[in-house]
Amino acid sequence: MEAIKYYSTNLKAPAVSFKKALLKGQAPDKGLYMPDCFPVLEKSTMDAFSKMRYPEVAFVVLHAFLKHEVPADILRLLVNDAYDYSVPLEHVCDRKYVMRLDQGPTASFKDFAARMMGRLMNHFLMKEKRDLLILTATSGDTGSAIANAFYGLDNIRVLILFPEKEVTVRQRKQMTTLGKNVEVIAVDGKFDDCQAMVKRAFADPDLATLNLSSANSINIGRLLPQAVYYFFAWSQLRKNTDEQAIFLVPSGNFGDMMGGMIAREMGLPVRQMGIAVNENDEFPVFLNTGEYQKIEPSKNCISSAMNVGHPSNLSRLVALYGGVMDEKGRIEKIPDMIAMRKDMVAFSITDAETRQCIADAWHAHRLLLEPHGAVGWAGLQKYLAMNEGMDKDQLFVVLETAHPAKFPEQIQEILKFDPDLPPSLQGLEDKEEKYGFLKHQYEDFKKHLTGMR
Ligand SMILES: *Cc1c(COP(=O)(O)O)cnc(C)c1O
């Protein structure tokens, strides 16, 4: 078999290698890169996953995509380095489980994708003796995820701008106590000012030699690693190799759920994917009616990382079902809606339902959920209500995407206690912080960047 190529979902740019798609991020026609075919794993291969640790499963799944581009021994080192934390599968009742994707350095499922993308980028850059400067503006969480994902990599430097008065002390400390290749700057302005300076730097021809990159969430290098935990959960929980699982995924930009759809294309026995969104219900409406209308501006819900009125990965899902959706959300070719409705169901969960679900899960099962995972668990309750008489033996896995300790206000309000911090978030208070200051003036920022070499 030849190397897999990556085409643009807008179909107006040439297909490229994995390396090129990874280092470019977005295609020149503003589409997203998608593999032009999916490697299908042998049953015996998937069978063997049940005895493997997470990094070993990650190796097999990623090697299937990357075998022509990343040597096996190197890929092994990268997955071992990226996945040095546990992936708990918590039994709740019957054959219903919660997969906790919150044991990474920033206690968010985004660690799975960002850490692997960073290591793959570093590998290609090292080979070419090139450096990259990742430039990012953050209002809190993205910055720490990026900082931790790229921390300690030799050929990548990270520069993060944050609005001095708009991030919490804990969010700031998660970025400013790292050091090494991570530089952090406080800006006396708002998030939008930081974002505007970063955008201007990307477009500035004087800075072209700096090799700037944004490492943003639509990168194919973030998508593929998200297929791995679906294989892992299934392999740990299945009774036999033909058993089909149903996953419930709390979703915002749909990167997480696309990981599951990719796993399914690779042969994972998935009976259905359940997509749970908050009050931003553009996708459930689309799935039911075939009409797509983005929500502008998006609604503010307590599951704040899912306040998305137009999921950027939706064009990838549409492509998977033979359609074309451009970056603005216009449907140029309608996907096979009948097949899509067979493979997936979608639920919109209100904030009131989310709060109720956090309370119910705790009181009925001593299951501790934060607002995002609660949207997923509430989705499961709706699924069961819609499918009365469903076999008690059906395997369900709900994804919990962040650690409850990241949302102490909501947990305190609903359950009247403070969740314990996971080890990765402990001890921040005692660490030394280091960061610079800038006024929100582009010329100052540019001077700083040119002085960095
Ligand atoms: C980003 C995020 C999500 C949404 O994931 P998508 O891939 O954008 O659908 C859900 N929960 C948490 C905690 C997140 O940070």
Side-chain angles (χ1 to χ4, degrees):
M1 204 180 83
E2 280 185 48
I4 295 167
K5 286 267 193 241
Y6 296 80
Y7 69 93
S8 164
T9 51
N10 278 354
L11 305 177
K12 294 191 181 95
V16 298
S17 65
F18 176 78
K19 179 178 98 177
K20 193 142 189 207
L22 175 76
L23 295 176
K24 258 189 162 340
Q26 196 168 35
D29 63 358
K30 297 203 164 76
L32 304 190
Y33 284 117
M34 269 290 271
D36 67 357
C37 76
F38 292 91
V40 175
L41 301 183
E42 302 278 343
K43 251 191 180 168
S44 57
T45 305
M46 287 194 285
D47 198 17
F49 285 171
S50 67
K51 293 186 190 65
M52 290 184 187
R53 295 179 308 115
Y54 190 90
E56 296 173 305
V57 177
F59 169 78
V60 176
V61 173
L62 293 174
H63 182 66
F65 280 100
L66 303 178
K67 62 179 143 213
H68 296 281
E69 296 197 62
V70 183
D73 52 340
I74 289 179
L75 186 61
R76 251 181 229 288
L77 293 176
L78 300 185
V79 292
N80 280 327
D81 188 43
Y83 302 120
D84 56 355
Y85 50 88
S86 65
V87 185
L89 289 154
E90 186 173 326
H91 178 238
V92 186
C93 57
D94 302 326
R95 299 197 66 235
K96 303 181 177 72
Y97 293 82
V98 166
M99 173 158 55
R100 295 202 179 266
L101 301 170
D102 61 0
Q103 300 294 299
T106 70
S108 152
F109 94 99
K110 292 199 171 64
D111 289 330
F112 284 82
R115 286 172 71 77
M116 199 61 220
M117 171 174 72
R119 278 151 187 77
L120 286 166
M121 280 182 163
N122 196 58
H123 160 70
F124 288 118
L125 292 165
M126 232 160 69
K127 250 179 47 179
E128 295 178 2
K129 301 195 171 47
R130 280 207 294 147
D131 282 336
L132 203 67
L133 176 59
I134 306 264
L135 205 54
T136 211
T138 183
S139 54
D141 269 354
T142 325
S144 68
I146 295 286
N148 279 279
F150 290 92
Y151 173 67
L153 300 179
D154 288 332
N155 291 50
I156 301 180
R157 286 182 301 171
V158 180
L159 179 60
I160 300 169
L161 299 188
F162 73 90
E164 197 182 353
K165 299 197 178 70
E166 287 181 11
V167 309
T168 67
V169 173
R170 185 186 295 153
Q171 283 174 331
R172 192 186 69 219
K173 287 194 171 179
Q174 279 188 280
M175 305 183 273
T176 59
T177 55
L178 288 167
K180 279 196 189 169
N181 59 333
V182 176
E183 184 182 347
V184 184
I185 296 180
V187 175
D188 77 331
K190 296 178 159 306
F191 170 68
D192 292 342
D193 299 320
C194 300
Q195 182 82 328
M197 293 209 292
V198 165
K199 282 205 168 142
R200 219 171 133 184
F202 278 119
D204 191 334
D206 295 346
L207 301 177
T209 54
L210 277 179
N211 247 326
L212 299 177
S213 169
S214 69
N216 62 24
S217 63
I218 45 92
N219 196 298
I220 186 73
R222 283 178 71 152
L223 198 61
L224 301 182
Q226 291 180 158
V228 176
Y229 41 75
Y230 292 90
F231 281 103
F232 181 74
W234 170 84
S235 69
Q236 300 294 305
L237 302 173
R238 92 249 179 332
K239 282 186 182 151
N240 58 60
T241 35
D242 293 319
E243 185 175 8
Q244 294 187 319
I246 298 175
F247 292 95
L248 273 299
V249 190
S251 296
N253 265 320
F254 283 24
D256 196 356
M257 81 92 190
M258 270 311 289
M261 295 306 286
I262 289 173
R264 194 172 165 277
E265 294 291 325
M266 295 175 77
L268 183 69
V270 178
R271 181 163 168 190
Q272 255 190 334
M273 288 287 284
I275 313 303
V277 299
N278 59 25
E279 293 172 28
N280 293 283
D281 64 352
E282 66 281 354
F283 180 70
V285 171
F286 171 59
L287 190 63
N288 292 331
T289 64
E291 303 280 329
Y292 184 68
Q293 189 100 57
K294 52 185 167 181
I295 295 179
E296 264 181 314
S298 61
K299 291 185 194 156
N300 271 328
C301 296
I302 56 170
S303 46
S304 52
M306 308 192 324
N307 292 336
V308 179
H310 172 47
S312 43
N313 280 294
L314 195 53
S315 57
R316 284 189 166 124
L317 181 72
V318 167
L320 201 60
Y321 286 88
V324 179
M325 176 186 272
D326 76 5
E327 72 282 359
K328 296 200 179 74
R330 261 192 311 255
I331 296 176
E332 285 170 9
K333 183 173 168 220
I334 188 99
D336 183 346
M337 297 302 298
I338 292 165
M340 213 190 267
R341 282 180 201 127
K342 197 162 140 270
D343 295 346
M344 55 208 319
V345 273
F347 307 100
S348 166
I349 309 294
T350 65
D351 270 359
E353 289 171 318
T354 308
R355 288 197 175 89
Q356 188 63 48
C357 176
I358 292 176
D360 291 348
W362 179 252
H363 294 122
H365 306 293
R366 284 292 177 267
L367 170 66
L368 183 57
L369 297 171
E370 53 70 56
H372 304 83
V375 167
W377 187 257
L380 170 59
Q381 308 315 313
K382 291 207 172 180
Y383 191 100
L384 295 172
M386 252 175 49
N387 295 278
E388 268 185 60
M390 184 130 202
D391 191 345
K392 281 248 180 306
D393 239 21
Q394 170 64 47
L395 175 60
F396 285 99
V397 183
V398 177
L399 278 57
E400 172 51 293
T401 47
H403 194 281
K406 293 188 93 176
F407 299 87
E409 296 84 10
Q410 280 96 10
I411 305 288
Q412 178 59 251
E413 176 199 321
I414 300 164
L415 302 178
K416 315 288 179 218
F417 63 81
D418 274 327
D420 294 334
L421 284 178
S424 62
L425 301 181
Q426 283 170 17
L428 271 180
E429 302 75 30
D430 311 328
K431 288 194 189 148
E432 197 196 335
E433 286 190 82
K434 230 178 112 185
Y435 59 101
F437 288 95
L438 275 180
K439 293 226 159 59
H440 72 272
Q441 265 155 14
Y442 181 69
E443 290 310 320
D444 291 357
F445 177 50
K446 182 168 172 175
K447 209 182 268 168
H448 182 86
L449 281 173
T450 39
M452 275 180 76
R453 6 185 77 245

